Amino acid sequence: MNVNVKPKGPRVAAIRAVPAARRTRVSGMDRALQVLDHLRETDAPAGGYAIAKAIGAPLSTTYLIIDELVERQLLIRRGNGSVWLGPRLYHFGLAYARSLDFLGEASHQMHELCRAVGETVQICGRDGDHMVVLAMADGPGHFRVMSEVGTRVPLNWTASGRLLVGHLPDSERLAIFKHSAKASPTKRAETNPKALAELSRKAFAERLSIQISETDFLVSCVASPICDLSGACVATISVVLPEHKVVARTAFYAEAVRAASEGIERNLGWRGR
């Protein structure tokens, strides 16, 4: 009986031809940034174990990085063992802010608008899927808003959030809202991605976005985009005020905030005189 035996050589070669899975290594710099980003995003001190779990890093590596960041004053250690952002970061932030012509001009217009309308005014920017308050001038009255500089909220909760992505292509806006839209505390913020994408496009085209009690009850916002030479919305300027005031004088606040945003663009050379 003839038995055909296949040679082993090709089989061995075939096995050897399969590439080994590549191992990925996260650098120490990346891990340090992950620690800092986690604290910034959660806006609360945390312990080493919680941080390691959140960023998916080995516990020993996380503790080592935290120790080095504490030593360099990029983090501070609290009495309960948790860590928080350190004073050196604050000084870096101040130096960066001084270098921004944009923020200086925007802050000037912000205070001018605050005096003109007698309400709280904010300059806001985008941080991924969130809107962040970059600067704020408190109005002279008794009305106070809960948000402060550094406050981050989902893009779909605010008038400014919708403007900040309004210049993007339709498909990109839709994709952003699909994965980022969340219900607001008042349950009045729009969460439908298609509706949000259209609201964002329309608001940007009109250079005006208004939200009424979507984030906080009885608190409203009238915002206008600040666009650079390319036409991208790099920030917004907005008036934050009680709901009844914006309902009673919508046109007044809309005109004031549009004029302020256009003034910023002109003074920075982003808009024709």
Side-chain angles (χ1 to χ4, degrees), residues 40 43 123 127 131-135 147-153:
R40 176 180 59 87
D43 197 26
I123 302 294
D127 183 9
M131 180 217 77
V132 60
V133 179
L134 302 176
S147 59
E148 299 177 350
V149 173
T151 297
R152 299 166 72 251
V153 296

Side-chain angles (χ1 to χ4, degrees), residues 224-251:
S224 187
I226 302 168
C227 301
D228 63 14
L229 284 172
S230 72
C233 180
V234 297
T236 66
I237 184 166
S238 60
V239 180
V240 186
L241 69 169
E243 178 181 327
H244 70 276
K245 287 189 176 182
V246 70
V247 171
R249 304 182 70 192
T250 302

